[in-house]
């Protein structure tokens, strides 16, 4: 379905984002979230695009499934919940800390060998408990610790140095960069440092969607299929209890979904239909409703996505509005599913 040729790197420019969601209060547009959206069909063709899907951007943690594939190709031997944790932006729950310790034990290294930044747990409830107990920030609690532990394990299995595993010139990071280009189908535009300290590769939103589609449609037993299976079967290990990305995978059978900081979301169905979203202002309140609308546009039953309409906008403690995706993301009538383009007529609000 997808070729193996690698195109030139996406252009680094100010993205030409477009309105993707409106903040409605009492029937009036109070705010507009700009961003970009791409919907791919099962054949890999672009079925819908809003904004700028070809400009270079940073997928942030939405790229973790690709990084996990790269580590498996380099010899990592994890599967199941530990492989899901290797691709996780976890909440810092005890299951995540215990799983990361298990990976470190398999690698015969310790928490001191991790090079991610110390942090408190990502989940607010877990974090508040952590603070009440007087526990300081730790590398284990930081939401990328599973990925970092898996990176150390991959290095240990290959006899690569451990102390500089985050250096972009390290064999591990070179191997990851190669797979990022392979799965996205394009050269990396730029390499910087992610929040956790790991190298972060800039591709396009279209490239991110292509990578997710290739992961979910790969033959059984391949590194790509192993990552997809692990994340779908252990969705809470890849995120956390109560996280929207885990709920999304539970709601849509076979869906692989991964979020990333600064308003990034990618989600791919088993047949290769894929959506990728970037909210320009990084707002989570728009990320989920827009991604759900894009999935409905891709053909997912809107009823299965009803819980992802977004949190209501409150006035005096009562719902008075909501975040609504733009009309171009409305589901197509069944007779038009698979066609391209979207409506651009004026949207009104009752």
């Amino acid at each position: 379905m997808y070729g193996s040729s690698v195109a030139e790197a996406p252009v680094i420019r100010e993205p030409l984002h477009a309105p993707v969601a409106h903040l409605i209060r009492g029937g009036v547009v109070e705010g507009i979230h700009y961003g970009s959206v791409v919907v791919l069909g099962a054949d890999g063709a672009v079925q819908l695009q809003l904004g700028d899907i070809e400009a270079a951007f940073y997928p942030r943690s939405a790229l973790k499934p690709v990084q996990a594939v790269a580590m498996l190709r380099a010899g990592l031997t994890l599967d199941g919940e530990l492989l899901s944790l290797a691709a996780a932006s976890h909440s810092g729950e005890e299951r995540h800390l215990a799983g990361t310790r298990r990976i470190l034990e398999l690698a015969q290294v310790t928490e001191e060998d991790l090079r991610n930044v110390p942090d408190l747990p990502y989940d607010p409830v877990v974090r508040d408990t952590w603070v009440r107990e007087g526990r300081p920030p730790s590398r284990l609690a930081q939401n990328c610790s599973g990925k970092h532990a898996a990176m150390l394990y991959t290095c240990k299995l290959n006899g690569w140095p451990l102390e500089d595993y985050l250096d972009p010139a390290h064999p591990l990071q070179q191997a990851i960069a190669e797979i990022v280009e392979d799965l996205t189908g394009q050269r990396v535009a730029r390499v910087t440092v992610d929040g956790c300290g790991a190298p972060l590769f800039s591709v396009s939103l279209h490239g991110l969607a292509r990578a997710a589609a290739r992961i979910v449609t790969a033959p059984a037993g391949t590194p790509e299929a192993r990552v997809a299976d692990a994340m779908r079967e252990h969705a809470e290990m890849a995120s956390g209890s109560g996280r929207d990305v885990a709920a999304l995978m539970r709601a849509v059978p076979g869906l692989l979904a991964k979020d990333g900081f600064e308003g990034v979301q990618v989600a791919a169905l088993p047949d290769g239909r894929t959506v990728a979203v970037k909210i320009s202002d990084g707002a989570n309140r728009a990320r989920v409703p827009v991604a759900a609308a894009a999935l409905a546009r891709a053909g997912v039953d809107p009823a299965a996505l009803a819980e992802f309409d977004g949190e209501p906008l409150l006035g005096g403690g009562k719902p008075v509005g909501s975040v609504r995706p733009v009309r171009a993301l409305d589901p197509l009538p069944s007779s038009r599913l698979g066609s391209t383009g979207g409506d651009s007529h004026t949207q009104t609000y009752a």
Side-chain angles (χ1 to χ4, degrees):
M1 181 173 63
Y2 294 89
S4 58
S5 61
V6 177
E8 291 301 311
V11 176
I12 298 173
R13 63 180 178 227
E14 181 177 343
L16 304 174
H17 291 306
V20 294
H22 294 135
L23 179 65
I24 309 303
R25 182 186 292 269
V28 173
V29 177
E30 185 175 38
I32 300 174
H33 287 291
Y34 284 74
S36 297
V37 180
V38 60
V39 178
L40 302 184
D43 61 354
V46 175
Q47 299 295 308
L48 173 74
Q49 66 179 79
L50 297 177
D52 195 342
I53 70 170
E54 303 297 353
F57 92 121
Y58 291 119
R60 303 298 298 271
S61 287
L63 202 60
K64 283 178 178 174
V66 178
Q67 293 171 308
V69 169
M71 287 189 276
L72 288 181
R73 290 195 188 182
L76 183 66
T77 56
L78 297 179
D79 275 301
E81 63 178 10
L82 294 185
L83 179 54
S84 182
L85 183 60
S89 300
H90 66 69
S91 292
E93 300 166 33
E94 186 51 44
R95 76 175 94 185
H96 302 124
L97 275 60
T100 301
R101 292 190 191 100
R102 285 166 59 194
I103 298 174
L104 293 173
E105 289 170 2
L106 289 170
Q108 297 182 321
V109 296
T110 68
E111 183 178 348
E112 284 66 40
D113 292 298
L114 294 170
R115 294 291 182 265
N116 59 318
V117 294
D119 202 356
L120 294 170
Y122 179 74
D123 182 272
V125 176
V126 179
R127 183 171 60 246
D128 288 347
T129 300
W130 191 282
V131 171
R132 283 197 303 271
E133 294 174 349
R135 302 171 72 178
S138 79
R139 299 184 193 276
L140 207 63
Q142 197 269 338
N143 76 90
C144 301
S145 65
K147 177 183 76 174
H148 282 254
M151 286 181 170
L152 284 171
Y153 193 13
T154 304
C155 290
K156 200 69 178 293
L157 290 167
N158 284 278
W160 294 333
L162 301 183
E163 62 277 1
D164 62 343
Y165 74 91
L166 296 183
D167 187 329
H170 190 281
L172 170 68
Q173 301 303 336
Q174 291 291 298
I176 290 174
E178 180 180 346
I179 302 310
V180 169
E181 292 187 338
D182 177 31
L183 293 182
T184 63
Q186 60 190 175
R187 302 293 180 195
V188 170
R190 184 162 293 177
V191 181
T192 188
V193 182
D194 209 340
C196 66
L200 177 61
F201 305 99
S202 179
V203 293
S204 68
L205 193 67
H206 190 182
L208 176 64
R210 281 195 299 264
R214 290 189 63 185
I215 288 173
V216 296
T217 58
T222 60
E224 292 90 338
R226 287 168 59 192
V227 169
D229 289 344
M231 293 181 68
R232 290 183 293 213
E233 293 170 14
H234 304 279
E236 284 77 14
M237 191 62 99
S239 54
S241 303
R243 292 274 291 281
D244 53 58
V245 68
L248 193 59
M249 285 193 277
R250 289 194 301 268
V252 182
L255 184 73
L256 175 68
K258 185 69 187 78
D259 54 345
F261 279 159
E262 297 302 322
V264 182
Q265 181 72 58
V266 65
L269 294 155
D271 63 0
R273 286 175 292 156
T274 302
V275 307
V277 172
K278 163 64 181 174
I279 305 300
S280 66
D281 61 3
N284 260 333
R285 71 179 181 185
R287 171 182 59 83
V288 179
V290 171
L295 283 169
R297 179 65 181 239
V300 175
D301 182 358
L305 301 164
E307 67 179 291
F308 305 104
D309 287 344
E311 295 296 324
L313 182 67
L314 301 180
K318 298 180 180 179
V320 295
S322 63
V323 175
R324 298 187 194 175
V326 296
R327 186 68 60 81
L329 287 168
D330 283 355
L332 292 172
S334 57
S335 61
R336 291 177 59 202
L337 284 177
S339 65
T340 60
D343 297 332
S344 59
H345 54 274
T346 302
Q347 193 165 357
T348 58
Y349 304 95

